[in-house]
Amino acid sequence: MLFLPAAALCCLCSALVAMAGQLTQDQLSVTRRVGENIILSCGGAEPCDKKQVYWYQQTETEPLRVILRIDLADGKVNSRYNHPQQGDFSASRKQDGCEMTITGIKHVHAATYYCVCWQTVAHTPSHVMVVDHLDRLSSADTFSSRQVFVSVCFTVEGYGDSNRYLIFGSGTKLYVTDQKIVKPVVSVYPAASRAHLEGRSSLLCVASAMFPPLVRFSWKRRREDQEKWVPAEGEQLELRESGRNTAILLVHRDSLHTYKYRCSVQHEGGKEEIQAEQEVPAALPPAPPPVPSGPSLHRVKLLCVLYTVLIVKSLVYCCGLSLLRILTKKKPSTD
């Protein structure tokens, strides 16, 4: 369990949100200068087996490496995993989880840090990425820069126990730099698609020009005749590429009411969320099938009568010609 490939954490699973327990890391990213200290938090650890939480480090060039383990029952820290900078890391308990401290930050500490624990669940959740053996996750698995993300957690099944899983938090990325934090520029647009033809609408929320480049999207909606904002329901995808992050929300349009949707973007630049709104009008009722009007029916009847008369005249004309032909062919009788 000492190493996991970096690409494994790119495969995230939305179904895991409904699991009994989930580790939470509210710090999306932290930016520090060389020589400073940082405390990383992890919550939601009550359901962890044996009350033990691991901390993992994932750098840009190396697979996941375990740093230490803390026992939440007695606060003891186990650092026997031979991490190259193990002396720079320490951990302590807190309510409902733990904290890890990095002392005297160096450039080699720039990485993403995950809190991890084993959890036993009664049933395997649907759409979970399950791996029988950890060594099946190959570090050769890569993803393009336009990676799609749908949620914040990930599990790996343990050895010989189909109900025991490694649960990962969403991760906190540490940037070691003197660069200043820049808040994102946020815009919301209706996405160009044919979804509205099926009674659905898609909204596009774009965050750009920020540092660090990590943001977290969330959506709320409010009915036109109400004041309360509530979490929005719908399918959401996130696209991450150089210079900007994009969230797409696909919603079903209400047949009666217009809703306003708010995209909120969480960033290290401040606790207050940056908000923008977009209105989704009520869906138009389907148009009734056209009913033939009175004049149209009258014209149809007149055309039917006209064609009937023409057909009868043609039959009479043909019969008259046939009779005349028969009479002219008879020879004159001789007395």
Side-chain angles (χ1 to χ4, degrees), residues 30-32 179-183 210-212 267-270:
V30 288
T31 304
R32 293 292 186 273
Q179 186 173 346
K180 293 183 179 180
I181 296 173
V182 180
K183 293 183 178 181
M210 62 277 187
F211 183 83
H267 184 258
E268 185 185 343

Side-chain angles (χ1 to χ4, degrees), residues 86-163:
Q86 65 180 17
D88 299 335
F89 300 95
S90 60
S92 61
R93 293 180 295 175
K94 70 167 189 173
Q95 186 177 4
D96 118 336
C98 62
E99 294 177 337
M100 184 178 70
T101 301
I102 308 176
T103 306
I105 291 176
K106 309 177 183 67
H107 286 292
V108 292
H109 294 144
T112 303
Y113 295 89
Y114 298 92
C115 59
V116 183
C117 76
W118 289 99
Q119 288 187 17
T120 302
V121 296
H123 303 285
T124 303
S126 59
H127 302 98
V128 170
M129 179 184 178
V130 177
V131 182
D132 295 328
H133 299 288
L134 300 182
D135 56 4
R136 290 188 186 178
L137 291 173
S138 169
S139 59
D141 297 333
T142 57
F143 296 83
S144 68
S145 61
R146 296 173 62 89
Q147 179 64 45
V148 177
F149 294 81
V150 294
S151 187
V152 294
C153 57
F154 158 78
T155 67
V156 179
E157 185 179 353
Y159 293 97
D161 190 346
S162 60
N163 293 329

